[in-house]
Every structure is written in structure tokens, then in C-alpha cells.
Amino acid sequence: MVKVSKFVMKNVGEGISKTLSEILVCPLTKQPLRFCEKTGSLISDEIGVSFPIVDGIPRLVPKDGKILEDEGLSHTDGHKEMKD
């Protein structure tokens, strides 16, 4: 497991590795996250929350997420879908 972790996290300084970005999901919605090169964070487009990457480790604890204020960081069209 350690070898896999080192391999997966090896390229975090240059962005999230392809393997890691395919595995990680938002802790709140369980939907895929995308890497934002501008902020160096993982974005949940579904709910407009940014999760930081600290020392190469994604911080996916809900309390660490920040609500996106800047529409330029989100790929959504500004319309939030209401769910029951």
C-alpha cells in the first residue's frame, strides 16, 4: 500500500496524478472532483466547494472545504439543481 501511495502522490506538485483524480470523490456528494491548477485544490462542481491540497495530501474533510465565491473557478453555469 505504501508503494501505491508514493506512486499515486508522486506528481501532486505538478497537479493531481491521473490515477488519483479518478479515485477521489467529494466527501459530501460522492461525485468526482477536478483539480484546479489556478488554486492547487480539488473542486466539487456539484456543490461549488474547493478542498485544499496541503503538502501533497488532499484534505477532503468537509470542514476543510471552502465554498467557491468566484464563478470563474466553477464549471457550472450558476444554476444549482435542487434535490429533495
Coordinates of all heavy atoms in Angstrom, one line a residue:
M1 N 0.8 -1.2 0.0 CA 0.0 0.0 0.0 C 0.9 1.3 0.0 O 0.5 2.2 -0.6 CB -0.9 0.0 1.2 CG -1.9 1.1 1.3 SD -3.0 1.0 -0.1 CE -4.2 2.2 0.4
V2 N 2.0 1.2 0.7 CA 2.9 2.4 0.8 C 3.4 2.7 -0.6 O 3.5 3.8 -1.0 CB 4.0 2.2 1.8 CG1 5.0 3.3 1.7 CG2 3.4 2.1 3.2
K3 N 3.8 1.6 -1.3 CA 4.4 1.9 -2.7 C 3.3 2.5 -3.6 O 3.6 3.4 -4.3 CB 4.8 0.5 -3.3 CG 6.1 0.0 -2.7 CD 6.5 -1.3 -3.4 CE 7.7 -1.9 -2.7 NZ 8.2 -3.1 -3.3
V4 N 2.1 2.1 -3.5 CA 1.0 2.6 -4.3 C 0.8 4.1 -3.9 O 0.7 4.9 -4.8 CB -0.3 1.8 -4.1 CG1 -1.5 2.5 -4.8 CG2 -0.2 0.4 -4.6
S5 N 0.8 4.4 -2.6 CA 0.6 5.8 -2.2 C 1.7 6.7 -2.7 O 1.4 7.8 -3.2 CB 0.5 5.9 -0.7 OG -0.6 5.1 -0.2
K6 N 2.9 6.2 -2.6 CA 4.0 7.0 -3.1 C 3.9 7.2 -4.6 O 4.2 8.3 -5.1 CB 5.4 6.4 -2.8 CG 5.7 6.5 -1.3 CD 7.1 5.8 -1.1 CE 7.4 5.9 0.4 NZ 8.7 5.2 0.7
F7 N 3.5 6.2 -5.4 CA 3.4 6.3 -6.8 C 2.2 7.3 -7.2 O 2.4 8.2 -8.0 CB 3.1 4.9 -7.4 CG 2.7 5.0 -8.9 CD1 3.6 5.3 -9.8 CD2 1.4 4.9 -9.3 CE1 3.3 5.3 -11.2 CE2 1.0 5.0 -10.6 CZ 2.0 5.2 -11.5
V8 N 1.1 7.2 -6.5 CA 0.0 8.0 -6.8 C 0.2 9.4 -6.4 O -0.1 10.3 -7.2 CB -1.3 7.4 -6.0 CG1 -2.4 8.4 -6.1 CG2 -1.7 6.1 -6.6
M9 N 0.9 9.7 -5.3 CA 1.1 11.1 -4.9 C 2.4 11.7 -5.4 O 2.6 12.9 -5.2 CB 1.2 11.1 -3.3 CG -0.1 10.6 -2.6 SD -1.5 11.5 -3.1 CE -1.2 13.1 -2.3
K10 N 3.1 11.0 -6.2 CA 4.4 11.4 -6.8 C 4.3 12.8 -7.5 O 5.1 13.6 -7.4 CB 5.0 10.4 -7.7 CG 6.4 10.7 -8.2 CD 7.0 9.6 -9.0 CE 6.5 9.6 -10.4 NZ 7.1 8.6 -11.2
N11 N 3.2 12.9 -8.3 CA 3.1 14.1 -9.2 C 2.2 15.2 -8.7 O 1.8 16.0 -9.4 CB 2.6 13.6 -10.6 CG 3.6 12.7 -11.2 OD1 4.8 12.9 -11.1 ND2 3.1 11.7 -12.0
V12 N 1.9 15.1 -7.4 CA 0.9 16.1 -6.8 C 1.5 17.5 -7.0 O 0.7 18.5 -7.2 CB 0.6 15.8 -5.4 CG1 -0.2 16.9 -4.7 CG2 -0.2 14.5 -5.3
G13 N 2.8 17.8 -6.9 CA 3.3 19.1 -7.0 C 3.0 19.7 -8.4 O 2.9 20.8 -8.6
E14 N 2.9 18.8 -9.4 CA 2.6 19.2 -10.7 C 1.1 19.1 -11.0 O 0.7 19.3 -12.1 CB 3.4 18.3 -11.7 CG 4.8 18.3 -11.5 CD 5.5 17.1 -12.2 OE1 4.8 16.3 -12.9 OE2 6.7 17.0 -12.2
G15 N 0.3 18.8 -10.0 CA -1.1 18.6 -10.2 C -1.4 17.2 -9.7 O -0.5 16.4 -9.4
I16 N -2.6 16.9 -9.6 CA -3.0 15.6 -9.1 C -2.8 14.6 -10.2 O -3.0 14.8 -11.4 CB -4.5 15.6 -8.8 CG1 -4.7 16.3 -7.5 CG2 -5.2 14.2 -8.7 CD1 -4.4 15.5 -6.2
S17 N -2.2 13.4 -9.9 CA -2.0 12.4 -10.9 C -3.3 11.9 -11.4 O -4.3 11.9 -10.8 CB -1.2 11.2 -10.2 OG -2.0 10.4 -9.4
K18 N -3.2 11.3 -12.6 CA -4.4 10.8 -13.3 C -5.1 9.7 -12.5 O -6.3 9.7 -12.3 CB -4.0 10.3 -14.7 CG -5.2 9.8 -15.5 CD -6.0 10.9 -16.0 CE -7.0 10.3 -17.1 NZ -8.1 11.2 -17.3
T19 N -4.3 8.8 -11.9 CA -4.9 7.7 -11.1 C -5.6 8.3 -9.9 O -6.7 7.9 -9.6 CB -3.7 6.8 -10.7 OG1 -3.0 6.3 -11.8 CG2 -4.3 5.6 -9.9
L20 N -5.0 9.2 -9.2 CA -5.6 9.7 -8.0 C -6.9 10.5 -8.3 O -7.9 10.4 -7.6 CB -4.6 10.6 -7.3 CG -5.1 11.1 -5.9 CD1 -5.4 9.9 -5.0 CD2 -4.0 12.0 -5.3
S21 N -6.9 11.3 -9.4 CA -8.1 12.1 -9.7 C -9.2 11.2 -10.2 O -10.4 11.6 -10.0 CB -7.7 13.1 -10.8 OG -7.4 12.4 -12.0
E22 N -8.9 10.0 -10.6 CA -10.0 9.1 -11.0 C -10.6 8.4 -9.8 O -11.7 7.9 -9.8 CB -9.5 8.0 -11.9 CG -9.2 8.5 -13.3 CD -8.5 7.5 -14.2 OE1 -8.1 6.4 -13.7 OE2 -8.3 7.9 -15.4
I23 N -9.9 8.3 -8.7 CA -10.3 7.6 -7.5 C -11.0 8.5 -6.5 O -12.0 8.2 -5.9 CB -9.1 7.0 -6.7 CG1 -8.5 5.9 -7.6 CG2 -9.5 6.4 -5.4 CD1 -7.1 5.4 -7.1
L24 N -10.5 9.8 -6.3 CA -11.1 10.7 -5.3 C -12.5 11.2 -5.7 O -12.7 11.5 -6.8 CB -10.2 11.9 -5.1 CG -8.8 11.5 -4.5 CD1 -8.0 12.8 -4.4 CD2 -9.0 10.9 -3.1
V25 N -13.3 11.3 -4.7 CA -14.7 11.8 -4.9 C -14.9 12.8 -3.7 O -14.3 12.8 -2.7 CB -15.8 10.8 -4.9 CG1 -15.6 9.9 -6.1 CG2 -15.8 10.0 -3.6
C26 N -15.9 13.7 -3.9 CA -16.3 14.6 -2.9 C -16.8 13.9 -1.7 O -17.7 13.0 -1.8 CB -17.4 15.6 -3.5 SG -18.1 16.7 -2.3
P27 N -16.4 14.3 -0.5 CA -16.9 13.6 0.7 C -18.3 13.8 1.0 O -19.0 13.1 1.8 CB -16.0 14.1 1.8 CG -15.5 15.4 1.3 CD -15.4 15.3 -0.2
L28 N -18.9 14.9 0.4 CA -20.3 15.2 0.7 C -21.2 14.7 -0.4 O -22.3 14.2 0.0 CB -20.4 16.8 0.7 CG -19.5 17.4 1.8 CD1 -19.5 18.9 1.6 CD2 -20.0 17.0 3.2
T29 N -20.9 14.7 -1.6 CA -21.8 14.3 -2.7 C -21.4 13.0 -3.3 O -22.2 12.4 -4.0 CB -21.8 15.3 -3.9 OG1 -20.5 15.3 -4.5 CG2 -22.2 16.7 -3.4
K30 N -20.2 12.5 -3.1 CA -19.7 11.3 -3.6 C -19.5 11.4 -5.2 O -19.5 10.4 -5.9 CB -20.5 10.0 -3.3 CG -20.8 9.9 -1.8 CD -19.5 9.8 -1.0 CE -19.8 9.5 0.5 NZ -19.3 10.4 1.4
Q31 N -19.5 12.6 -5.7 CA -19.3 12.8 -7.1 C -17.8 13.1 -7.4 O -17.1 13.5 -6.5 CB -20.1 14.0 -7.6 CG -21.6 13.8 -7.4 CD -22.1 12.6 -8.3 OE1 -21.8 12.5 -9.4 NE2 -22.8 11.7 -7.6
P32 N -17.4 13.0 -8.6 CA -15.9 13.2 -8.9 C -15.5 14.6 -8.6 O -16.3 15.6 -8.7 CB -15.9 12.9 -10.4 CG -17.1 12.1 -10.8 CD -18.1 12.5 -9.8
L33 N -14.2 14.8 -8.3 CA -13.6 16.1 -8.1 C -12.7 16.4 -9.3 O -12.2 15.5 -10.0 CB -12.7 16.0 -6.8 CG -13.5 15.8 -5.5 CD1 -12.5 15.5 -4.4 CD2 -14.3 17.0 -5.2
R34 N -12.4 17.6 -9.5 CA -11.5 18.0 -10.5 C -10.4 18.9 -9.9 O -10.6 19.6 -8.9 CB -12.1 18.7 -11.7 CG -12.6 20.1 -11.4 CD -13.2 20.8 -12.6 NE -13.9 22.1 -12.1 CZ -13.2 23.2 -11.9 NH1 -11.9 23.3 -12.1 NH2 -13.9 24.3 -11.5
F35 N -9.2 18.8 -10.5 CA -8.1 19.6 -10.0 C -8.1 20.9 -10.6 O -8.2 21.1 -11.9 CB -6.8 18.8 -10.3 CG -5.6 19.6 -9.8 CD1 -5.3 19.7 -8.5 CD2 -4.7 20.2 -10.8 CE1 -4.2 20.4 -8.1 CE2 -3.6 21.0 -10.3 CZ -3.3 21.1 -9.0
C36 N -8.0 22.0 -9.8 CA -7.9 23.3 -10.3 C -6.4 23.8 -10.2 O -5.9 23.9 -9.1 CB -8.8 24.3 -9.5 SG -8.7 26.0 -10.0
E37 N -5.8 24.0 -11.4 CA -4.4 24.4 -11.4 C -4.2 25.8 -10.8 O -3.2 26.1 -10.2 CB -3.9 24.4 -12.8 CG -3.8 23.0 -13.4 CD -3.2 22.9 -14.8 OE1 -2.6 23.9 -15.2 OE2 -3.4 21.9 -15.4
K38 N -5.2 26.7 -11.0 CA -5.1 28.0 -10.5 C -5.0 28.1 -9.0 O -4.2 28.9 -8.5 CB -6.4 28.8 -11.0 CG -6.4 30.3 -10.6 CD -7.6 31.0 -11.1 CE -7.6 32.4 -10.7 NZ -8.8 33.1 -11.2
T39 N -5.8 27.3 -8.3 CA -5.8 27.3 -6.8 C -5.0 26.2 -6.2 O -4.7 26.2 -5.0 CB -7.2 27.3 -6.3 OG1 -7.8 26.1 -6.6 CG2 -8.0 28.5 -6.7
G40 N -4.7 25.1 -7.0 CA -4.0 24.0 -6.5 C -4.9 23.2 -5.6 O -4.4 22.6 -4.6
S41 N -6.2 23.2 -5.8 CA -7.1 22.5 -5.0 C -8.0 21.5 -5.8 O -8.0 21.6 -7.0 CB -8.0 23.5 -4.2 OG -8.7 24.3 -5.1
L42 N -8.8 20.8 -5.1 CA -9.8 19.9 -5.7 C -11.2 20.5 -5.6 O -11.6 21.0 -4.5 CB -9.8 18.5 -5.1 CG -8.5 17.7 -5.2 CD1 -8.5 16.5 -4.3 CD2 -8.3 17.3 -6.7
I43 N -11.9 20.6 -6.7 CA -13.2 21.3 -6.8 C -14.3 20.3 -7.0 O -14.2 19.4 -7.8 CB -13.2 22.2 -8.0 CG1 -12.0 23.2 -8.0 CG2 -14.5 23.0 -8.1 CD1 -12.0 24.2 -6.9
S44 N -15.3 20.4 -6.2 CA -16.6 19.7 -6.4 C -17.5 20.6 -7.1 O -18.1 21.6 -6.5 CB -17.2 19.3 -5.0 OG -18.4 18.7 -5.2
D45 N -17.7 20.4 -8.4 CA -18.5 21.3 -9.2 C -20.0 21.1 -8.8 O -20.8 22.1 -8.9 CB -18.4 21.0 -10.7 CG -17.1 21.5 -11.2 OD1 -16.6 22.6 -10.8 OD2 -16.4 20.8 -12.0
E46 N -20.4 20.0 -8.3 CA -21.7 19.7 -7.9 C -22.3 20.7 -6.9 O -23.4 21.1 -6.9 CB -21.8 18.2 -7.4 CG -23.2 17.8 -6.9 CD -24.0 17.0 -7.8 OE1 -23.5 16.7 -8.9 OE2 -25.1 16.7 -7.5
I47 N -21.4 21.0 -5.9 CA -21.9 21.9 -4.8 C -21.0 23.1 -4.7 O -21.3 24.0 -3.8 CB -21.8 21.1 -3.4 CG1 -20.5 20.6 -3.1 CG2 -22.9 20.1 -3.4 CD1 -20.3 20.0 -1.7
G48 N -20.0 23.3 -5.6 CA -19.2 24.5 -5.6 C -18.3 24.7 -4.3 O -18.3 25.7 -3.7
V49 N -17.6 23.6 -4.0 CA -16.8 23.6 -2.8 C -15.3 23.2 -3.3 O -15.2 22.3 -4.1 CB -17.2 22.6 -1.7 CG1 -16.2 22.5 -0.6 CG2 -18.6 23.1 -1.2
S50 N -14.4 23.9 -2.7 CA -13.0 23.7 -3.0 C -12.3 23.0 -1.8 O -12.4 23.5 -0.7 CB -12.3 25.0 -3.3 OG -10.9 24.9 -3.4
F51 N -11.6 21.9 -2.0 CA -10.8 21.2 -1.0 C -9.4 21.4 -1.2 O -8.9 21.1 -2.3 CB -11.2 19.7 -1.0 CG -12.6 19.5 -0.6 CD1 -13.6 19.3 -1.6 CD2 -13.0 19.4 0.7 CE1 -14.9 19.0 -1.3 CE2 -14.4 19.2 1.0 CZ -15.3 19.0 0.0
P52 N -8.6 21.9 -0.2 CA -7.2 22.2 -0.4 C -6.3 20.9 -0.5 O -6.7 19.8 0.0 CB -6.8 23.0 0.9 CG -7.8 22.5 1.9 CD -9.1 22.2 1.2
I53 N -5.2 21.1 -1.1 CA -4.1 20.0 -1.1 C -3.0 20.6 -0.3 O -2.4 21.6 -0.7 CB -3.7 19.7 -2.5 CG1 -4.9 19.1 -3.3 CG2 -2.5 18.7 -2.5 CD1 -4.6 18.9 -4.8
V54 N -2.7 20.0 0.9 CA -1.6 20.5 1.8 C -0.5 19.5 1.8 O -0.7 18.4 2.2 CB -2.2 20.7 3.2 CG1 -1.2 21.3 4.1 CG2 -3.4 21.7 3.2
D55 N 0.7 20.0 1.5 CA 1.9 19.2 1.4 C 1.7 17.9 0.6 O 2.1 16.8 1.0 CB 2.3 18.8 2.9 CG 2.8 20.0 3.6 OD1 3.3 20.9 3.0 OD2 2.6 20.0 4.9
G56 N 0.9 18.1 -0.5 CA 0.7 17.0 -1.4 C -0.4 16.0 -1.0 O -0.7 15.0 -1.6
I57 N -1.1 16.3 0.1 CA -2.2 15.5 0.6 C -3.5 16.2 0.5 O -3.7 17.3 1.1 CB -1.9 15.1 2.1 CG1 -0.6 14.4 2.2 CG2 -3.1 14.3 2.7 CD1 -0.1 14.2 3.7
P58 N -4.4 15.6 -0.3 CA -5.8 16.2 -0.4 C -6.5 16.2 0.9 O -6.5 15.2 1.6 CB -6.5 15.3 -1.4 CG -5.4 14.6 -2.1 CD -4.3 14.4 -1.1
R59 N -7.0 17.3 1.3 CA -7.7 17.5 2.6 C -9.2 17.4 2.3 O -9.8 18.4 2.0 CB -7.4 18.8 3.3 CG -5.9 19.0 3.5 CD -5.4 18.6 4.8 NE -6.2 18.9 6.0 CZ -5.9 19.8 6.9 NH1 -4.9 20.6 6.7 NH2 -6.7 20.0 7.9
L60 N -9.8 16.2 2.4 CA -11.2 16.0 2.0 C -12.1 15.9 3.2 O -13.2 15.3 3.1 CB -11.3 14.8 1.1 CG -10.5 14.8 -0.2 CD1 -10.6 13.5 -1.0 CD2 -11.0 16.0 -1.0
V61 N -11.8 16.5 4.3 CA -12.6 16.6 5.4 C -13.6 17.8 5.1 O -13.2 18.9 4.8 CB -11.8 16.9 6.7 CG1 -12.7 17.0 7.9 CG2 -10.8 15.8 6.9
P62 N -14.9 17.5 5.3 CA -15.9 18.6 5.0 C -15.6 19.9 5.6 O -15.8 20.9 4.9 CB -17.2 18.0 5.4 CG -17.0 16.5 5.3 CD -15.6 16.3 5.6
K63 N -15.1 20.0 6.8 CA -14.8 21.3 7.5 C -13.7 22.0 6.8 O -13.6 23.2 7.0 CB -14.6 21.1 9.0 CG -13.2 20.4 9.3 CD -13.0 20.4 10.8 CE -11.7 19.8 11.1 NZ -10.6 20.7 11.2
D64 N -12.8 21.3 6.0 CA -11.7 22.0 5.3 C -12.2 22.6 4.0 O -11.4 23.3 3.4 CB -10.6 21.0 5.1 CG -9.9 20.6 6.4 OD1 -10.0 21.4 7.4 OD2 -9.3 19.5 6.4
G65 N -13.3 22.2 3.5 CA -13.8 22.7 2.2 C -14.2 24.2 2.3 O -14.7 24.6 3.4
K66 N -14.0 24.9 1.2 CA -14.4 26.3 1.2 C -15.4 26.5 0.0 O -15.2 26.0 -1.1 CB -13.2 27.2 0.9 CG -12.2 27.1 2.1 CD -11.3 28.2 2.1 CE -10.3 28.3 3.3 NZ -10.1 27.2 4.1
I67 N -16.5 27.2 0.3 CA -17.5 27.5 -0.7 C -16.9 28.5 -1.7 O -16.3 29.5 -1.3 CB -18.7 28.1 -0.1 CG1 -19.4 27.0 0.9 CG2 -19.7 28.5 -1.1 CD1 -20.5 27.5 1.7
L68 N -17.0 28.1 -3.0 CA -16.5 29.0 -4.0 C -17.3 30.2 -4.2 O -18.5 30.1 -4.4 CB -16.4 28.2 -5.4 CG -15.5 27.0 -5.4 CD1 -15.6 26.3 -6.7 CD2 -14.1 27.4 -5.1
E69 N -16.7 31.4 -4.2 CA -17.4 32.6 -4.4 C -17.1 33.1 -5.8 O -18.0 33.7 -6.4 CB -16.8 33.7 -3.4 CG -17.1 33.4 -2.0 CD -18.5 33.4 -1.6 OE1 -19.3 34.2 -2.2 OE2 -18.9 32.7 -0.7
D70 N -16.0 32.7 -6.4 CA -15.6 33.2 -7.7 C -16.1 32.2 -8.7 O -15.8 31.1 -8.8 CB -14.0 33.2 -7.8 CG -13.5 33.7 -9.1 OD1 -14.3 34.1 -10.0 OD2 -12.3 33.7 -9.3
E71 N -17.1 32.7 -9.6 CA -17.7 31.8 -10.6 C -16.7 31.3 -11.6 O -16.9 30.3 -12.3 CB -18.8 32.6 -11.3 CG -20.0 32.9 -10.5 CD -20.7 31.6 -10.0 OE1 -20.8 30.7 -10.8 OE2 -21.0 31.5 -8.8
G72 N -15.5 32.0 -11.7 CA -14.5 31.5 -12.7 C -13.9 30.2 -12.3 O -13.3 29.5 -13.1
L73 N -14.0 29.8 -11.0 CA -13.4 28.5 -10.6 C -14.3 27.3 -10.8 O -13.9 26.2 -10.8 CB -13.0 28.6 -9.1 CG -12.0 29.6 -8.7 CD1 -11.8 29.7 -7.2 CD2 -10.7 29.3 -9.5
S74 N -15.6 27.6 -11.0 CA -16.6 26.5 -11.1 C -16.9 26.3 -12.6 O -17.1 27.3 -13.3 CB -17.8 26.9 -10.3 OG -18.8 25.8 -10.4
H75 N -17.2 25.1 -13.0 CA -17.6 24.8 -14.3 C -19.1 24.9 -14.5 O -19.6 24.7 -15.6 CB -17.1 23.4 -14.8 CG -15.6 23.5 -15.2 ND1 -15.2 22.8 -16.3 CD2 -14.5 24.1 -14.6 CE1 -13.9 23.0 -16.4 NE2 -13.5 23.7 -15.4
T76 N -19.8 25.1 -13.4 CA -21.3 25.1 -13.5 C -21.7 26.4 -14.1 O -21.0 27.4 -14.1 CB -21.9 24.9 -12.1 OG1 -21.5 26.0 -11.3 CG2 -21.5 23.6 -11.5
D77 N -22.9 26.4 -14.6 CA -23.5 27.6 -15.3 C -24.2 28.5 -14.3 O -24.9 29.4 -14.7 CB -24.4 27.2 -16.4 CG -25.6 26.4 -15.9 OD1 -25.8 26.2 -14.7 OD2 -26.4 26.0 -16.8
G78 N -24.0 28.3 -13.0 CA -24.5 29.2 -12.0 C -25.9 28.7 -11.5 O -26.4 29.2 -10.5
H79 N -26.4 27.7 -12.1 CA -27.7 27.1 -11.7 C -27.5 25.9 -10.8 O -26.9 25.0 -11.2 CB -28.6 26.7 -12.9 CG -29.0 27.9 -13.7 ND1 -28.2 28.4 -14.7 CD2 -30.1 28.7 -13.7 CE1 -28.8 29.4 -15.3 NE2 -29.9 29.6 -14.7
K80 N -28.0 26.0 -9.6 CA -27.9 24.9 -8.7 C -29.2 24.1 -8.8 O -30.3 24.6 -8.8 CB -27.7 25.3 -7.2 CG -26.5 26.1 -7.0 CD -25.3 25.1 -7.1 CE -24.0 25.8 -6.8 NZ -22.8 25.1 -7.1
E81 N -29.1 22.8 -8.9 CA -30.2 21.9 -9.0 C -30.7 21.6 -7.6 O -29.9 21.1 -6.8 CB -29.8 20.6 -9.8 CG -30.9 19.7 -10.1 CD -30.4 18.6 -10.9 OE1 -29.7 18.8 -11.9 OE2 -30.7 17.4 -10.6
M82 N -31.9 21.8 -7.3 CA -32.5 21.4 -6.0 C -32.8 20.0 -6.0 O -33.4 19.4 -6.9 CB -33.8 22.3 -5.8 CG -33.5 23.7 -5.7 SD -32.4 24.3 -4.5 CE -33.4 24.0 -3.0
K83 N -32.4 19.3 -4.9 CA -32.6 17.9 -4.7 C -33.5 17.7 -3.5 O -33.4 18.4 -2.5 CB -31.3 17.1 -4.5 CG -30.5 17.2 -5.7 CD -29.3 16.3 -5.5 CE -28.4 16.4 -6.8 NZ -27.3 15.5 -6.8
D84 N -34.4 16.8 -3.6 CA -35.4 16.5 -2.4 C -34.7 15.8 -1.3 O -33.9 15.0 -1.4 CB -36.6 15.7 -2.9 CG -37.4 16.5 -3.9 OD1 -37.4 17.8 -3.8 OD2 -38.0 15.9 -4.8

